[in-house]
Amino acid sequence: MCSRTMASKTPVGFIGLGNMGNPMAKNLVKHGYPVIAYDVFPEACKEFQDLGAQVTESPADVAERADRIITMLPSSPNVREVYTGANGILKKVKKGSLLIDSSTIDPAVSKELAKAVEKMGAVFMDAPVSGGVGAARAGNLTFMVGGVEQEFNAAKELLTCMGSNVIYCGEVGTGQAAKICNNMLLAISMIGTAETMNLGIRLGLDPKLLAKILNMSSGRCWSSDTYNPVPGVMEGVPSANNYQGGFGTTLMAKDLGLAQISATNTMTPVPLGSQAHQIYRMMCAKGYALKDFSAVFQFLREEETL
């Protein structure tokens, strides 16, 4: 299949208008693409109607009206349903369509869907993202793309409207592999930052001063300098808003679960990743599921038994 013409402003389907999908789809609109939108929650679509987007009643309807579709969904079962369900994309997908999934799911599911899409004469690529809601709003996401290399430029045309880094990783599933590895490291570093900040505060250090020292020292990381988990240290991050918005604890627990499955399948030792998974699962069980994953700082402060 030949790569599609660059910069063609034909309609783009977008399915999944949640915390990440909403700003991503808005950036497509800002770049002049007519968006054909669907979300399982109709209220999520109203804002896009006001922006002039077409709103449909099912993923199949999106596939009928657009030959380039981006999906941004919470988990593997959601993605399977949107693609292969009774009213899924594959019910009405056109031959030659380009289907890009930016959800974070099991690499094996991406490969499974790619085969089903290929049977319909279309192309599937996995393109999970890193950067969080802030980067989604700013159009600065990093996309990790897996799929047919000849189609990478066609995918990149759309993804560069939403991200500043679009990286080809290899065959289908490698984008998911990169994302799972990244999120495992992110979870570990966030827990480490939270533990460090908590210890420093209990030793009498001012949290802003401690953060400043960490960020000019060898302990510096994204969790400390861009997304600090301590309330009052930074503005514009979830910890400054009672851990609302951002990347939910339940989603981090899900991604860490995917990492554990992959580690088991490849016989890879991941002791810190396993411990991080258990901590985020405990958080979900104790009322933190809908809070941003940086709420691990608050969890550690409250859990004296850890």
Side-chain angles (χ1 to χ4, degrees):
M1 187 176 297
C2 297
S3 290
R4 293 152 184 81
T5 305
M6 294 290 285
S8 57
K9 295 297 194 290
T10 54
V12 177
F14 204 104
I15 299 172
L17 301 170
N19 286 343
M20 292 293 291
N22 178 294
M24 289 169 66
K26 282 180 182 173
N27 279 322
L28 284 174
V29 173
K30 288 177 185 175
H31 280 81
Y33 287 94
V35 169
I36 299 170
Y38 171 77
D39 192 278
V40 68
F41 299 107
E43 59 271 21
C45 298
K46 186 180 184 310
E47 189 176 1
F48 287 89
Q49 279 183 310
D50 296 340
L51 292 173
Q54 296 181 52
V55 173
T56 66
E57 295 185 359
S58 71
D61 291 339
V62 175
E64 189 173 35
R65 301 185 199 185
D67 62 8
R68 294 182 293 179
I69 302 171
I70 297 167
T71 51
M72 188 61 172
L73 302 158
S75 65
S76 296
N78 301 121
V79 176
R80 269 206 187 100
E81 178 64 22
V82 160
Y83 278 86
T84 65
N87 292 303
I89 290 170
L90 296 188
K91 292 297 181 184
K92 294 186 179 179
V93 69
K94 303 171 188 175
K95 285 188 177 180
S97 292
L98 175 61
L99 311 178
I100 302 171
D101 180 40
S102 286
S103 318
T104 299
I105 62 174
D106 188 334
V109 174
S110 292
K111 292 176 183 178
E112 168 195 317
L113 292 174
K115 290 178 182 177
V117 169
E118 186 179 3
K119 287 179 182 177
M120 303 300 292
V123 174
F124 176 92
M125 303 187 87
D126 59 307
V129 305
S130 178
V133 174
R137 291 193 188 113
N140 291 331
L141 291 167
T142 292
F143 286 89
M144 294 153 267
V145 185
V148 180
E149 189 170 7
Q150 293 90 325
E151 291 297 326
F152 176 62
N153 283 338
K156 190 174 182 179
E157 174 198 340
L158 297 178
L159 300 181
T160 50
C161 296
M162 301 174 284
S164 54
N165 299 298
V166 182
I167 302 164
Y168 181 69
C169 298
E171 63 184 18
V172 168
T174 56
Q176 298 294 350
K179 174 62 188 291
I180 288 169
C181 291
N182 177 79
N183 273 24
M184 185 173 74
L185 178 57
L186 173 60
I188 293 167
S189 69
M190 181 57 77
I191 294 168
T193 300
E195 288 183 354
T196 298
M197 294 295 295
N198 188 33
L199 176 60
I201 291 166
R202 291 189 176 185
L203 288 171
L205 288 168
D206 175 79
K208 283 189 176 181
L209 175 65
L210 177 56
K212 181 179 179 180
I213 293 168
L214 293 175
N215 294 335
M216 59 175 64
S217 304
S218 56
R220 178 176 179 246
C221 62
W222 189 85
S223 296
S224 69
D225 73 359
T226 304
Y227 212 83
N228 199 284
V230 180
V233 169
M234 295 183 68
E235 296 181 0
V237 293
S239 62
N241 187 36
N242 195 30
Y243 301 103
Q244 300 303 306
F247 186 62
T249 292
T250 186
L251 293 176
M252 180 56 86
K254 181 263 295 184
D255 289 358
L256 288 166
L258 294 174
Q260 291 303 296
I261 292 168
S262 296
T264 299
N265 291 340
T266 57
M267 299 180 68
T268 305
V270 287
L272 293 182
S274 180
Q275 184 65 38
H277 186 214
Q278 294 304 315
I279 289 171
Y280 278 103
R281 287 180 66 188
M282 283 192 289
M283 287 176 66
C284 289
K286 297 203 172 187
Y288 289 83
L290 300 180
K291 289 194 172 188
D292 181 75
F293 80 107
S294 61
V296 67
F297 172 78
Q298 187 180 61
F299 175 70
L300 291 171
R301 295 274 284 186
E302 295 176 355
E303 291 295 310
E304 298 292 341
T305 56
L306 280 180

